[in-house]
Amino acid sequence: MSYKIMPKSALNDWVQHLRQKFTIVAPKPKHGQFVFGEVTDASEFALDYPSTVLPPKKYLVPTQEELLSYSLDGSHFEMRTEPVPTVVLGVHTCDLHGIKLLDRIFSQGYTDTHYKTRRNSLYLVSYECFEPCTEHSFCRSMGTLSATDTFDLHIINLGEDFAFEIGTQKGESLLEGFQSIFNVTEVDIERINTVHQEKWQRFPYRLDFDVTELAELLTNSYTSTYWDELGDICLGCGMCTQVCPTCYCFDIHDEVDLTLDGGHRVRTWDSCQIRMFATVAGGHNFRAEQAARQRHRFMRKGKYQEDAYGLVGCTGCGRCAQACLVDITPVKTFNELYKRRNNIAEKETEAK
Amino acid sequence: MAQYERYIRPKVAFFDFTSCEGCQLTVLDSLQTSPELLDMIEIVEFREAMSERSNEYQIAFVEGSCTRPADEERLKTIRSTASLVIALGACAHLGGINAIKNLRPLPEVRADVYGDKADWYDTYAARPISAVIDIDGFIPGCPIDRDEFIRVVKMLLQGRQPIIPDHPLCIECKLKENVCLYLRGKICLGPIVRAGCGAICPTYGDGCEGCRGLITNPNLDSMKMVLEEHGLSFEEVEQKLSMFMAYQTAGIKSEAEGATS
Amino acid sequence: MKTLTEVVTKSPSIYQPVPARIVSIEELTETEKLFTVALPGGLSLHHSPGQFLQISVLGIGEAPISISSSPSRSYGTFELCVRRVGDLTTALHNLKRGDIIGVRGPFGRGFPVGRLRGKDLIFVAGGLGLAPLRSLIYEVLDQRGNYGQLSVLYGSRCPSDLLFKDELAEWEKRDDMTLSITVDHPDETWFGEVGLVLNLFDDIYPNPRNAVAVVVGPPVMYPSVIERLLSLQIPEGSIWLSFERRMKCGVGRCGHCQLNHIYTCREGPSFSYSEIKDLEEAL
Ligand SMILES: Cc1cc2nc3c(=O)[nH]c(=O)nc-3n(C[C@H](O)[C@H](O)[C@H](O)COP(=O)(O)OP(=O)(O)OC[C@H]3O[C@@H](n4cnc5c(N)ncnc54)[C@H](O)[C@@H]3O)c2cc1C
Ligand code: SF4
Ligand code: SF4
Ligand code: SF4
Ligand code: SF4
Ligand code: SF4
Ligand code: FES
């Protein structure tokens, strides 16, 4: 692990330094919350921020993305993904986990060049959390509270200074040529260790069991009546999936020019919570009940993604919990399933 | 599945029934921002824009709801002349708030309107044009969305049945990265209302009033609970929801009547 | 010869179709057309029966369509049997000979051709299910010696909905296979079986130890046909099915085709009954 130190007062100079080569995006305030957006000055963003409405995945899979443009006679195709090199400042560690999962998903099988191109041009500068971002977060339980990889640079707030942990050469290049970067001293290392150690006690575990038990819990809860209870109150509004850093389901549709000569193939975010998601022509819906859609969502978060990609599909960011108007949350759901399973297990042992 | 013909520069007519003509203004607006449209279609009847009349047209856009028996005759004539009849805007699509003169669905205006409940019963019940004639598609909204209008025209030119979203507004609202109005102490019907307007009201800080109508299979019970939890009385919840559910039965007279559009 | 897959995977985007030309169109029924399509210069499809292609009508969109022709009869072209049900399929039906469509694929895991070798085969088709099965039928017929008995059971809504009528007549005449057909709603021209495809099982006596069944039809058909096959002692691993799901990407990503944890487009669309019997979202 190699570190560098920058005085906090140099932040804006560093932003200006980076702007010579990069577009900078960072958390900007919006109506009491934050959203990632382009910034030109350090005064426009905050690094200590609760959580953004949408996770930074929007820079990897844009909400609406033109994949191709073409002429209607098929004589001409053009791939339209030409991202500009962008530095994302202030990515939380839970969101790093989300990006790590997306990296695996979009590179399996036939590589998604649109994703890959965007990913390669993205410089992830993450930021260590010292306090739970919102009442909804449960990153501690999901094991996403430290930056282990996926970042290019990781910032640790040391009060007067920022420590940069260098994750990749890409990250290192962001510091090159900037004057106010200093080597770490032993005192700095000490400070880094202290803030790291001290932070943990501020983060409660919110799951009543260990995350390694989650996949199995879900397998055993597949036929639970709890899904019907969720289905009854769920509005099917899809907010929970739209804001989730590990949801990536998409739709593809075509749009034509007004002159009907050319067209575009467009990818947009989709949601397994909406009625049409698994409906085929003729009207047959393979997940006709909202209960089945909720179950599918939580199975993906807690089991399917982990089975397929080796990473648990929920980062504990709490965005869905904050968004949901009927208070359907991963913590409540997982704990309730755990409780019910234990009740059943108890009854079974009693019966024996 | 209806077969749609592909048209080369079809003759297109616009008709207005009881409405504020705001949707036709949106059409005019889109003609100004996308003048190429006029290379693709030939407009033969458009009261807002021209006086010349024609009795021959392939595509009819009908704005406004049907409020009189005489309207029914006119609608039937349109149906028998046009190959495709498209309902334009909430009044024609849902029965609509047929006297609102505003171009944007301002909640205050609607609150005023609803204060005047007696008028529901005095007015001849407005109905969507689909209650009188078969339609081949609709463009929802009060007023319609300009981009959606153009999209529908393109689909018709391609010989397609217009595809209108049937998922909740919240999806679109989140894609815009709006902070949910419920987190800002307001209420909004987004979870049960059809997307497609770009979540314009929440984007400007107003709760969605549902001018594009309900999605298929909305969870109304749960929505009502949410509204009550956020401080609406039972009556207010019913009022809020009947704003669009009553489109089928109630004709609403606007305070704003008399304002020119 | 270069394969389509090679071209698709090397193109700048996996979502970019290769333009292919419609060389002939045959009207099979009122709602189904058979398209013969030629890939551009020198490309081969190189598919296995049961795989599908993502077919684009440029300016409209894309949909998964099974390859209905057999690899054993490609002649530089392939065939798609398309039912007109909605937006894209209507647009396809409106195309003419010489028009260009976009093609991506072939995707998915087809039928287990290798495992069928030497086996007695029971193919059960419901409606449009005959389209993908036809690919497999010709694969078997063209290498007849590699396989045991072949029984094809085909159920259709009404006589006018029968697909590939000329070919059915030919198959009926062959003595190295049996074909039985039933319709739900007979008309005055119909003298054959009436009723569900299940009735057709009364005439076959498979040796369960050597039989493999391949079943393709609408979702409603599967439970009863599987039950019948199981009652004939056909092992669960020897009953193969093909699933239709909504598919947008074809490459295991968009999420639409997911059936429990399985991506139908990638792991399927064909599955053995033993693979999916415990998955609630399968049947
Ligand atoms: C593996 C596989 C093989 C198939 N093989 C054949 C075949 O050989 N012949 C045939 O006629 N049909 C086949 N189908 C079904 C065919 O894909 C659908 O009929 C077609 O997608 C319908 O599209 P549409 O736009 O005409 O219908 P619409 O009803 O207009 O569709 C409306 C919307 O739903 C979407 N949609 C509906 N069904 C599907 C779907 N299954 N996948 C993706 N999007 C969908 C469309 O994109 C469209 O936007 C197959 C399907 C699968 C999954
Ligand atoms: S946010 Fe809540 S109500 Fe909306 S779909 Fe998700 S779980 Fe259902
Ligand atoms: S499921 Fe909820 S808490 Fe988990 S990653 Fe998604 S949005 Fe965050
Ligand atoms: S969920 Fe945890 S890791 Fe993520 S932002 Fe909140 S506190 Fe940080
Ligand atoms: S503001 Fe309205 S539309 Fe937007 S997310 Fe909230 S409830 Fe949904
Ligand atoms: S947000 Fe709601 S009220 Fe506003 S335009 Fe859209 S559908 Fe109509
Ligand atoms: S079709 Fe996209 S994941 Fe299977």
Side-chain angles (χ1 to χ4, degrees), chain A residues 49-52 90-96 127-134 136-140 144-146 199 203 315-319:
Chain A
Y49 66 102
S51 139
T52 47
V91 179
H92 285 150
T93 53
C94 54
D95 284 342
L96 280 182
Y127 188 76
E128 184 90 12
C129 297
F130 287 138
E131 266 173 56
C133 57
T134 67
H136 304 287
S137 66
F138 53 107
C139 46
R140 176 100 195 249
T144 59
L145 188 46
S146 5
K199 79 175 228 181
F203 291 85
T315 71
C317 73
R319 285 186 177 91

Short mmCIF file of all heavy atoms in Angstrom, two decimals, chain A residues 49-52 90-96 127-134 136-140 144-146 199 203 315-319, ligand 4:
data_model
loop_
_atom_site.label_atom_id
_atom_site.label_comp_id
_atom_site.label_asym_id
_atom_site.label_seq_id
_atom_site.Cartn_x
_atom_site.Cartn_y
_atom_site.Cartn_z
N TYR A 49 -20.60 13.70 2.40
CA TYR A 49 -21.99 13.82 1.93
C TYR A 49 -22.68 12.52 2.27
O TYR A 49 -22.04 11.48 2.39
CB TYR A 49 -22.02 14.08 0.42
CG TYR A 49 -21.51 12.93 -0.40
CD1 TYR A 49 -22.40 12.06 -1.05
CD2 TYR A 49 -20.16 12.67 -0.53
CE1 TYR A 49 -21.93 10.99 -1.79
CE2 TYR A 49 -19.68 11.60 -1.26
CZ TYR A 49 -20.58 10.76 -1.90
OH TYR A 49 -20.12 9.69 -2.61
N PRO A 50 -24.01 12.55 2.45
CA PRO A 50 -24.70 11.33 2.88
C PRO A 50 -24.65 10.22 1.84
O PRO A 50 -24.15 9.14 2.11
CB PRO A 50 -26.12 11.81 3.15
CG PRO A 50 -26.26 13.13 2.50
CD PRO A 50 -24.90 13.72 2.43
N SER A 51 -25.17 10.45 0.68
CA SER A 51 -25.18 9.43 -0.36
C SER A 51 -25.88 10.10 -1.52
O SER A 51 -26.66 11.02 -1.32
CB SER A 51 -25.94 8.20 0.17
OG SER A 51 -26.77 7.64 -0.78
N THR A 52 -25.57 9.71 -2.73
CA THR A 52 -26.18 10.39 -3.88
C THR A 52 -27.49 9.71 -4.25
O THR A 52 -27.69 8.53 -3.97
CB THR A 52 -25.24 10.36 -5.08
OG1 THR A 52 -24.74 9.03 -5.24
CG2 THR A 52 -24.09 11.33 -4.91
N GLY A 90 -14.92 11.26 -4.78
CA GLY A 90 -15.78 11.05 -3.61
C GLY A 90 -16.67 9.83 -3.69
O GLY A 90 -17.76 9.82 -3.11
N VAL A 91 -16.23 8.80 -4.39
CA VAL A 91 -17.03 7.57 -4.46
C VAL A 91 -16.95 6.84 -3.11
O VAL A 91 -15.86 6.59 -2.61
CB VAL A 91 -16.48 6.64 -5.57
CG1 VAL A 91 -17.29 5.35 -5.63
CG2 VAL A 91 -16.49 7.35 -6.91
N HIS A 92 -18.09 6.54 -2.53
CA HIS A 92 -18.08 5.81 -1.26
C HIS A 92 -17.67 4.36 -1.47
O HIS A 92 -17.82 3.82 -2.55
CB HIS A 92 -19.47 5.87 -0.60
CG HIS A 92 -19.78 7.19 0.02
ND1 HIS A 92 -21.05 7.68 0.11
CD2 HIS A 92 -18.98 8.13 0.58
CE1 HIS A 92 -21.04 8.85 0.72
NE2 HIS A 92 -19.79 9.16 1.01
N THR A 93 -17.21 3.73 -0.41
CA THR A 93 -16.70 2.37 -0.57
C THR A 93 -17.80 1.38 -0.95
O THR A 93 -17.55 0.44 -1.68
CB THR A 93 -16.01 1.89 0.72
OG1 THR A 93 -16.90 2.08 1.82
CG2 THR A 93 -14.73 2.66 0.96
N CYS A 94 -19.03 1.63 -0.48
CA CYS A 94 -20.12 0.73 -0.87
C CYS A 94 -20.33 0.82 -2.38
O CYS A 94 -20.58 -0.19 -3.05
CB CYS A 94 -21.40 1.09 -0.12
SG CYS A 94 -21.90 2.80 -0.30
N ASP A 95 -20.19 2.02 -2.93
CA ASP A 95 -20.36 2.19 -4.36
C ASP A 95 -19.21 1.58 -5.15
O ASP A 95 -19.38 1.16 -6.30
CB ASP A 95 -20.54 3.67 -4.72
CG ASP A 95 -21.94 4.18 -4.37
OD1 ASP A 95 -22.84 3.32 -4.19
OD2 ASP A 95 -22.14 5.40 -4.29
N LEU A 96 -18.03 1.52 -4.53
CA LEU A 96 -16.92 0.80 -5.16
C LEU A 96 -17.28 -0.67 -5.35
O LEU A 96 -17.04 -1.26 -6.39
CB LEU A 96 -15.66 0.87 -4.29
CG LEU A 96 -14.81 2.13 -4.32
CD1 LEU A 96 -13.60 1.91 -3.40
CD2 LEU A 96 -14.34 2.48 -5.73
N TYR A 127 -13.64 7.73 -1.30
CA TYR A 127 -13.54 8.54 -0.09
C TYR A 127 -14.00 7.71 1.10
O TYR A 127 -15.09 7.15 1.09
CB TYR A 127 -14.41 9.80 -0.24
CG TYR A 127 -14.24 10.81 0.86
CD1 TYR A 127 -13.11 11.62 0.90
CD2 TYR A 127 -15.21 10.97 1.83
CE1 TYR A 127 -12.94 12.56 1.90
CE2 TYR A 127 -15.05 11.92 2.85
CZ TYR A 127 -13.91 12.71 2.87
OH TYR A 127 -13.75 13.64 3.86
N GLU A 128 -13.17 7.63 2.10
CA GLU A 128 -13.45 6.79 3.26
C GLU A 128 -14.57 7.38 4.12
O GLU A 128 -14.55 8.57 4.45
CB GLU A 128 -12.16 6.70 4.10
CG GLU A 128 -12.25 5.78 5.29
CD GLU A 128 -11.84 4.35 4.95
OE1 GLU A 128 -11.29 4.12 3.85
OE2 GLU A 128 -12.09 3.47 5.78
N CYS A 129 -15.55 6.52 4.48
CA CYS A 129 -16.63 6.98 5.37
C CYS A 129 -16.20 6.81 6.81
O CYS A 129 -15.67 5.77 7.20
CB CYS A 129 -17.89 6.17 5.15
SG CYS A 129 -18.57 6.34 3.51
N PHE A 130 -16.49 7.81 7.63
CA PHE A 130 -16.18 7.70 9.06
C PHE A 130 -17.44 7.59 9.91
O PHE A 130 -17.37 7.39 11.11
CB PHE A 130 -15.34 8.89 9.51
CG PHE A 130 -13.92 8.81 9.01
CD1 PHE A 130 -13.28 9.94 8.53
CD2 PHE A 130 -13.24 7.59 9.02
CE1 PHE A 130 -11.97 9.86 8.07
CE2 PHE A 130 -11.93 7.51 8.56
CZ PHE A 130 -11.30 8.64 8.09
N GLU A 131 -18.58 7.81 9.27
CA GLU A 131 -19.84 7.71 9.99
C GLU A 131 -20.89 7.15 9.05
O GLU A 131 -20.79 7.38 7.85
CB GLU A 131 -20.29 9.10 10.44
CG GLU A 131 -19.87 9.46 11.83
CD GLU A 131 -20.20 10.89 12.14
OE1 GLU A 131 -21.39 11.23 12.01
OE2 GLU A 131 -19.27 11.64 12.47
N PRO A 132 -21.88 6.46 9.58
CA PRO A 132 -22.94 5.98 8.70
C PRO A 132 -23.53 7.15 7.92
O PRO A 132 -23.81 8.20 8.51
CB PRO A 132 -23.97 5.37 9.64
CG PRO A 132 -23.22 5.06 10.90
CD PRO A 132 -22.14 6.11 10.99
N CYS A 133 -23.69 6.98 6.62
CA CYS A 133 -24.11 8.11 5.78
C CYS A 133 -25.54 8.49 6.04
O CYS A 133 -25.89 9.66 6.02
CB CYS A 133 -23.91 7.76 4.32
SG CYS A 133 -24.77 6.26 3.84
N THR A 134 -26.40 7.50 6.27
CA THR A 134 -27.80 7.78 6.57
C THR A 134 -28.27 6.75 7.58
O THR A 134 -27.58 5.78 7.86
CB THR A 134 -28.72 7.65 5.33
OG1 THR A 134 -28.76 6.27 4.94
CG2 THR A 134 -28.24 8.50 4.17
N HIS A 136 -30.26 4.64 6.98
CA HIS A 136 -30.62 3.43 6.24
C HIS A 136 -29.42 2.55 5.89
O HIS A 136 -29.58 1.43 5.43
CB HIS A 136 -31.33 3.81 4.95
CG HIS A 136 -32.53 4.67 5.16
ND1 HIS A 136 -33.71 4.17 5.68
CD2 HIS A 136 -32.74 6.00 4.96
CE1 HIS A 136 -34.60 5.15 5.76
NE2 HIS A 136 -34.02 6.28 5.35
N SER A 137 -28.22 3.07 6.04
CA SER A 137 -27.07 2.32 5.54
C SER A 137 -26.76 1.12 6.44
O SER A 137 -26.99 1.16 7.65
CB SER A 137 -25.85 3.24 5.45
OG SER A 137 -25.48 3.64 6.75
N PHE A 138 -26.28 0.07 5.83
CA PHE A 138 -25.89 -1.11 6.61
C PHE A 138 -24.66 -1.77 5.98
O PHE A 138 -24.52 -2.99 5.93
CB PHE A 138 -27.05 -2.10 6.75
CG PHE A 138 -27.69 -2.51 5.45
CD1 PHE A 138 -27.49 -3.78 4.93
CD2 PHE A 138 -28.50 -1.64 4.74
CE1 PHE A 138 -28.07 -4.17 3.73
CE2 PHE A 138 -29.09 -2.02 3.54
CZ PHE A 138 -28.87 -3.29 3.05
N CYS A 139 -23.76 -0.90 5.51
CA CYS A 139 -22.54 -1.35 4.84
C CYS A 139 -21.71 -2.26 5.75
O CYS A 139 -21.10 -3.21 5.29
CB CYS A 139 -21.73 -0.15 4.42
SG CYS A 139 -21.59 1.09 5.71
N ARG A 140 -21.72 -1.98 7.04
CA ARG A 140 -20.92 -2.79 7.97
C ARG A 140 -21.34 -4.24 7.87
O ARG A 140 -20.51 -5.14 7.79
CB ARG A 140 -21.13 -2.28 9.41
CG ARG A 140 -20.42 -3.14 10.46
CD ARG A 140 -19.15 -2.48 10.88
NE ARG A 140 -18.26 -3.34 11.60
CZ ARG A 140 -17.96 -3.22 12.89
NH1 ARG A 140 -18.53 -2.27 13.61
NH2 ARG A 140 -17.06 -4.02 13.44
N THR A 144 -18.84 -3.84 3.15
CA THR A 144 -18.44 -2.94 2.06
C THR A 144 -17.91 -1.62 2.59
O THR A 144 -17.89 -0.62 1.89
CB THR A 144 -19.64 -2.65 1.14
OG1 THR A 144 -20.67 -2.05 1.92
CG2 THR A 144 -20.17 -3.91 0.51
N LEU A 145 -17.47 -1.65 3.82
CA LEU A 145 -17.09 -0.40 4.48
C LEU A 145 -15.61 -0.08 4.34
O LEU A 145 -15.14 0.94 4.84
CB LEU A 145 -17.51 -0.48 5.96
CG LEU A 145 -17.41 0.74 6.86
CD1 LEU A 145 -17.98 1.98 6.18
CD2 LEU A 145 -18.15 0.49 8.15
N SER A 146 -14.86 -0.93 3.68
CA SER A 146 -13.48 -0.52 3.43
C SER A 146 -13.16 -0.62 1.96
O SER A 146 -13.76 -1.42 1.24
CB SER A 146 -12.47 -1.36 4.22
OG SER A 146 -13.07 -2.40 4.90
N LYS A 199 -13.05 4.25 13.43
CA LYS A 199 -14.33 4.42 12.73
C LYS A 199 -15.28 3.26 12.98
O LYS A 199 -16.50 3.46 13.03
CB LYS A 199 -14.11 4.61 11.23
CG LYS A 199 -13.81 3.34 10.46
CD LYS A 199 -13.73 3.66 8.97
CE LYS A 199 -14.55 2.69 8.16
NZ LYS A 199 -14.49 2.93 6.73
N PHE A 203 -20.15 2.28 13.42
CA PHE A 203 -21.03 1.61 12.46
C PHE A 203 -21.66 0.37 13.09
O PHE A 203 -20.97 -0.60 13.37
CB PHE A 203 -20.24 1.19 11.21
CG PHE A 203 -19.80 2.33 10.37
CD1 PHE A 203 -18.63 3.01 10.65
CD2 PHE A 203 -20.57 2.75 9.28
CE1 PHE A 203 -18.22 4.08 9.87
CE2 PHE A 203 -20.17 3.81 8.49
CZ PHE A 203 -18.99 4.48 8.78
N THR A 315 -24.94 -3.76 -1.52
CA THR A 315 -23.79 -3.11 -0.93
C THR A 315 -24.12 -2.50 0.44
O THR A 315 -23.23 -1.98 1.10
CB THR A 315 -23.29 -1.96 -1.82
OG1 THR A 315 -24.25 -0.90 -1.76
CG2 THR A 315 -23.14 -2.41 -3.27
N GLY A 316 -25.39 -2.53 0.80
CA GLY A 316 -25.78 -1.93 2.07
C GLY A 316 -25.85 -0.42 2.02
O GLY A 316 -25.84 0.24 3.06
N CYS A 317 -25.93 0.14 0.82
CA CYS A 317 -25.90 1.60 0.70
C CYS A 317 -27.15 2.26 1.26
O CYS A 317 -27.15 3.44 1.56
CB CYS A 317 -25.70 2.02 -0.75
SG CYS A 317 -27.16 1.79 -1.78
N GLY A 318 -28.24 1.50 1.34
CA GLY A 318 -29.45 2.02 1.94
C GLY A 318 -30.29 2.92 1.03
O GLY A 318 -31.30 3.46 1.46
N ARG A 319 -29.87 3.08 -0.22
CA ARG A 319 -30.63 3.98 -1.10
C ARG A 319 -32.06 3.51 -1.29
O ARG A 319 -33.00 4.30 -1.27
CB ARG A 319 -29.94 4.08 -2.47
CG ARG A 319 -28.68 4.91 -2.49
CD ARG A 319 -28.19 5.05 -3.93
NE ARG A 319 -27.02 5.90 -4.04
CZ ARG A 319 -25.76 5.44 -3.99
NH1 ARG A 319 -25.53 4.16 -3.80
NH2 ARG A 319 -24.75 6.28 -4.12
S1 SF4 D 4 -23.46 2.83 3.10
FE1 SF4 D 4 -21.61 2.81 4.31
S2 SF4 D 4 -19.95 2.79 2.85
FE2 SF4 D 4 -21.78 3.44 1.79
S3 SF4 D 4 -21.76 5.64 1.93
FE3 SF4 D 4 -22.95 4.93 3.63
S4 SF4 D 4 -21.50 4.78 5.28
FE4 SF4 D 4 -20.33 4.88 3.43
#
